[in-house]
């Protein structure tokens, strides 16, 4: 990725990974991603904000060479995770006079992960709302733990109204343009996937730091992944909606079926909900990646997991889905489990226990033997009736 100017003497110098298909070996990234880093040149000093994964070091150093950056005073580390700090050891060698500017928590993580104990004298620890002058440009730092690690912080260049937000408000989206395209459905879908997988488990913190961003009122936001946000109101508004406590009138039904019994149950329930005018989305877990499912549950008021029984418990793919939902902690109000069995009868209880930490109201499960008969169908109709009534209260 070429070095590109965001505003006067502030450059994006990170790298794009067009071919990345899984981030952290868990999150699907169908549009790739970027590892953003920013060079800020003041009249007296210069600073680099974050670095990136070490496998991109050749392109990264090339970008700095293009800008004739033969010296560096500060390396600002907003977050210690390797995709933000992986090139820190190399850069400390390339720029032997550079100081690492970070907070106390991040310092400890950086020193431990990169074995920098012998370089402790090169660290400068900053606190909340402390400043650092580069001459005509001034950094102001904000401690923002739990979006999404305990060490995260933001850095504002006050004079240019640009805010560097680490993972917050980012997107796993490789783009040839420097700035976001708010009209692109692909970009907006990627933004929601990213929120679901990385930010949704920390909704309370997201709400808090959205208020901080509103107070700062930046003209530009430089996240660690994806395009730079120019006039970032739309993405901020989307984050406010996604992180709010009020779900939408939507049901998500995620299922896996072995011999057709569970799939038949799903079809009966989904058809009932459609007939009642309740918006519902059905996902076959054999064909749905975790990014799609994560995005789907961001707004859902009700989540239904449907599984056959394998030996004594639920299908492993249903267990994976339950673990994902539990880990992402959506604002769901109602959950239920439906499924079928031949002789083992513990699948529904197992999934129900997995989902209990969400604190959602558990609707009466439907668990049947073999294909659904008339009694079983009535139980599914009753579940649909209950969902319809609950959704009227939203």
């Amino acid at each position: 990725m070429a070095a590109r100017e965001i505003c006067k003497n502030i450059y994006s110098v990170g790298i794009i990974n067009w071919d990345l298909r899984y981030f952290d070996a868990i999150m699907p990234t169908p549009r790739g991603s970027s590892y953003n880093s920013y060079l800020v040149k003041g009249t007296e000093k210069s600073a680099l904000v974050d670095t990136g994964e070490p496998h991109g070091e050749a392109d990264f150093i090339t970008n700095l060479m293009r800008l004739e950056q033969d010296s560096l005073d500060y390396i600002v580390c907003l977050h210690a995770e390797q995709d933000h700090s992986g090139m820190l050891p190399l850069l400390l060698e390339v720029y032997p006079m550079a100081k690492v500017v970070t907070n106390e928590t991040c310092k400890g993580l950086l020193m431990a992960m990169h074995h920098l104990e012998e370089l402790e004298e090169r660290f400068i620890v900053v606190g909340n709302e402390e400043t650092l002058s580069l001459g005509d440009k001034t950094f102001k730092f904000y401690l923002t733990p739990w979006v999404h690690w305990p060490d995260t912080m933001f850095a504002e260049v006050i004079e240019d109204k640009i805010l560097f937000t680490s993972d917050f408000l980012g997107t796993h989206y490789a783009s040839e343009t420097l700035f976001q395209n708010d009209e692109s459905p692909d970009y907006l879908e990627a933004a929601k996937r990213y929120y679901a997988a990385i930010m949704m488990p920390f909704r309370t913190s997201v709400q808090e730091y959205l208020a901080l961003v509103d107070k700062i009122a930046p003209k530009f936001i430089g996240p660690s992944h994806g395009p730079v946000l120019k006039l970032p109101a739309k993405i901020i508004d989307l984050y406010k909606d996604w992180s709010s406590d009020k779900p939408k009138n939507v049901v998500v039904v995620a299922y896996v079926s072995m011999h057709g019994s569970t799939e038949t149950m799903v079809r009966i329930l989904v058809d009932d909900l459609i007939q009642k005018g309740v918006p519902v989305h059905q996902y076959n877990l054999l064909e749905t990646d975790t990014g799609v499912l994560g995005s789907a549950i961001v707004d859902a008021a009700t989540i239904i997991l449907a599984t056959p029984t394998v030996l004594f418990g639920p299908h492993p793919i249903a267990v994976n889905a339950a673990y994902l939902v539990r880990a992402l902690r959506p604002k769901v109000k109602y959950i239920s489990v439906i499924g079928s069995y031949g002789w083992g009868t513990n699948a529904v209880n197992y999934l129900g226990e997995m989902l209990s930490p969400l604190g959602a109201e558990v609707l009466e499960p439907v668990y049947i033997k073999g294909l659904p008969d008339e009694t079983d169908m009535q139980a599914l109709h009753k579940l649909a009736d209950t969902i319809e009534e609950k959704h009227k209260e939203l």
Side-chain angles (χ1 to χ4, degrees):
M1 180 170 73
R4 295 172 290 180
E5 190 172 52
I6 300 170
C7 55
K8 187 176 180 180
N9 288 329
I10 298 181
Y11 302 87
S12 175
V13 294
I15 59 174
I16 292 177
N17 188 337
W18 297 94
D19 301 319
L20 184 71
R21 290 298 173 261
Y22 275 88
F23 187 82
D24 285 349
I26 189 171
M27 179 185 178
T29 51
R31 286 297 302 262
S33 192
S34 63
Y35 302 98
N36 297 343
S37 178
Y38 302 97
L39 180 65
V40 181
K41 292 187 172 187
T43 53
E44 298 175 9
K45 296 180 183 296
S46 59
L48 189 68
V49 179
D50 282 344
T51 62
E53 290 277 12
H55 59 70
E57 61 187 28
D59 290 339
F60 189 84
I61 296 297
T62 298
N63 282 340
L64 295 177
M65 291 174 62
R66 285 170 175 160
L67 296 172
E68 300 180 351
Q69 197 63 36
D70 54 4
S71 66
L72 194 64
D73 298 286
Y74 303 112
I75 302 172
V76 177
C77 290
L78 303 179
H79 171 34
E81 200 169 3
Q82 288 87 339
D83 56 307
H84 302 247
S85 70
M87 280 185 275
L88 180 60
L90 171 66
L91 291 171
L92 288 174
E93 290 184 21
V94 173
Y95 299 107
M97 302 302 293
K99 300 287 188 180
V100 180
V101 180
T102 192
N103 63 75
E104 190 68 49
T105 303
C106 191
K107 173 189 172 184
L109 289 170
L110 289 169
M111 292 180 66
M113 290 194 299
H114 298 297
H115 307 293
L116 300 175
E117 292 83 359
E118 294 183 0
L119 300 178
E120 185 171 6
E121 73 281 356
R122 294 179 66 179
F123 279 77
I124 298 174
V125 173
V126 294
N128 192 46
E129 299 194 4
E130 287 191 15
T131 59
L132 177 70
S133 175
L134 305 182
D136 63 337
K137 297 184 185 296
T138 309
F139 276 114
K140 187 174 184 179
F141 302 102
Y142 302 89
L143 302 187
T144 55
W146 299 116
V147 283
H148 61 135
W149 274 27
D151 64 323
T152 306
M153 69 179 186
F154 298 168
E156 177 192 11
V157 179
I158 297 172
E159 293 81 2
D160 297 284
K161 300 296 289 181
I162 182 168
L163 183 66
F164 301 110
T165 55
S166 187
D167 283 310
F168 195 57
L169 301 171
T171 309
H172 286 312
Y173 185 82
S175 174
E176 74 282 5
T177 61
L178 176 60
F179 299 110
Q180 89 279 23
N181 178 2
D182 286 343
E183 304 305 316
S184 166
D186 287 343
Y187 169 70
L188 296 176
E189 178 190 359
K192 191 172 188 179
R193 273 177 173 256
Y194 184 96
Y195 167 81
I198 298 176
M199 294 294 139
M200 187 159 62
F202 307 98
R203 276 196 312 116
T204 302
S205 295
V206 168
Q207 293 169 359
E208 177 184 353
Y209 300 133
L210 285 171
L212 173 62
V213 172
D214 280 345
K215 181 180 177 181
I216 296 169
K219 292 181 181 178
F220 304 94
I221 290 178
S224 293
H225 305 287
V228 173
L229 306 181
K230 184 178 183 180
L231 302 176
K234 182 164 185 175
I235 293 299
I236 290 173
D237 285 345
L238 286 172
Y239 262 63
K240 287 178 180 178
D241 179 40
W242 296 333
S243 65
S244 71
D245 295 326
K246 185 175 176 59
K248 291 181 170 52
N249 177 26
V250 173
V251 179
V252 168
V253 181
Y255 77 98
V256 59
S257 188
M258 293 170 64
H259 301 294
S261 299
T262 303
E263 184 175 6
T264 300
M265 296 175 71
V266 167
R267 288 177 177 172
I268 293 168
L269 178 62
V270 168
D271 184 65
D272 256 16
L273 293 170
I274 291 172
Q275 294 296 323
K276 296 174 182 298
V278 179
V280 57
H281 302 294
Q282 175 180 319
Y283 297 94
N284 183 342
L285 292 171
L286 286 174
E287 301 173 358
T288 304
D289 74 43
T290 55
V292 171
L293 183 60
S295 293
I297 64 175
V298 166
D299 303 311
T302 297
I303 298 173
I304 308 291
L305 286 184
T307 181
T309 301
V310 178
L311 300 177
F312 301 98
H315 193 289
I317 291 177
V319 174
N320 288 345
Y323 182 86
L324 177 72
V325 173
R326 172 175 167 165
L328 297 185
R329 304 189 67 83
K331 54 191 171 187
V332 60
K333 296 296 183 185
Y334 311 105
I335 59 172
S336 189
V337 180
I338 65 175
S340 58
Y341 66 96
W343 50 270
T345 59
N346 196 38
V348 165
N349 290 338
Y350 189 102
L351 291 186
E353 290 173 4
M354 285 190 69
L355 296 171
S356 62
L358 294 175
E361 181 180 343
V362 179
L363 306 181
E364 185 67 28
V366 181
Y367 198 35
I368 70 170
K369 187 171 186 176
L371 289 166
D373 59 19
E374 186 61 35
T375 301
D376 301 326
M377 291 182 186
Q378 289 304 316
L380 291 167
H381 295 323
K382 182 179 177 182
L383 177 58
D385 290 340
T386 300
I387 293 171
E388 180 188 26
E389 289 304 310
K390 294 291 185 182
H391 280 223
K392 288 177 181 178
E393 302 170 4
L394 295 174

